[in-house]
Amino acid sequence: PNVRYEAVTNDGQAVAVEREIAFIHLALEASGRADLGLLAGRGHRFPVFGFWGLALAASPTLASAIRLGLQYVDLTHTFLRWRFERTAPEAALVMQAGAPLGELETFLVERDAAAAATLLEDLTGRRRGLAGAEFAYPAPAWADRYTAVFGCVPAFGAARHALRLSATLLDQPLPGGVPVMCGMSLIP
């Protein structure tokens, strides 16, 4: 089926959750790509997120970018609840469905986890910044794509959905960190 722009937009208004979910179903069907969540997430570089992305990019450290990102995560399109766990020697961004996602859970976790991994690369300038990736669902047929997307061998059937990174990365200065710009980008 053809997915028309007019079918999901509403004259510049926010897209209702029901319409977004309908669009995701249509996109998955039209693409024929079971790994569409991974592909979509990899396309989410920080400019896609507008001022939220700018604030992350201007943060002085990865820890401050994560704190800021989670504080304003509702400015993004995520259907997941996120939390940050910081313990030595690793830290983790943990994802949990905010509501029952049914058959879309894999797509939405893939999309958001791949977007988070891409943002991590953009912010730090480092590919392969993750220490690990965990997914609560069984390995999908396209599991081999995960290693390329996340830069590590993922664990499937885990107790949670999480991206793990070395805690030593958290307090290192970010290459694009400009604290004044970070604060200005989120002024109401």
Side-chain angles (χ1 to χ4, degrees):
N2 292 328
V3 179
R4 294 185 353 262
Y5 176 76
E6 299 81 22
V8 293
T9 61
N10 189 10
D11 298 326
Q13 300 297 313
V15 176
V17 170
E18 297 80 15
R19 291 184 118 189
E20 186 172 355
I21 287 175
F23 176 78
I24 292 169
H25 278 290
L26 285 171
L28 284 167
E29 185 180 323
S31 75
R33 300 278 316 241
D35 64 346
L36 188 60
L38 296 175
L39 294 170
R42 289 298 290 166
H44 283 76
R45 310 233 71 109
F46 72 81
V48 168
F49 293 102
F51 285 115
W52 185 83
L54 177 62
L56 297 186
S59 294
T61 65
L62 185 57
S64 62
I66 291 170
R67 278 192 303 274
L68 185 70
L70 292 178
Q71 181 179 353
Y72 293 101
V73 74
D74 291 340
L75 296 176
T76 71
H77 56 267
T78 188
F79 284 88
L80 305 176
R81 281 186 272 160
W82 292 75
R83 75 176 184 276
F84 182 58
E85 297 175 355
R86 186 175 183 168
T87 58
E90 290 184 346
L93 279 167
V94 180
M95 301 157 275
Q96 183 178 0
L101 301 174
E103 63 186 15
L104 291 182
E105 182 169 356
T106 300
F107 169 84
L108 293 168
V109 169
E110 284 179 344
R111 181 194 66 183
D112 290 6
T118 302
L119 285 171
L120 177 66
E121 290 173 19
D122 288 348
L123 293 171
T124 63
R126 295 179 52 171
R127 178 79 171 116
R128 312 241 184 260
L130 291 177
E134 304 168 9
F135 300 96
Y137 46 77
W142 56 95
D144 58 320
R145 299 258 310 121
Y146 279 68
T147 301
V149 169
F150 297 104
C152 59
V153 177
F156 293 100
R160 64 186 185 170
H161 304 300
L163 300 177
R164 298 188 333 270
L165 55 145
S166 170
T168 60
L169 292 175
L170 296 173
D171 297 317
Q172 294 178 5
L174 291 178
V178 183
V180 171
M181 183 64 105
C182 175
M184 290 175 55
S185 64
L186 289 173
I187 293 175

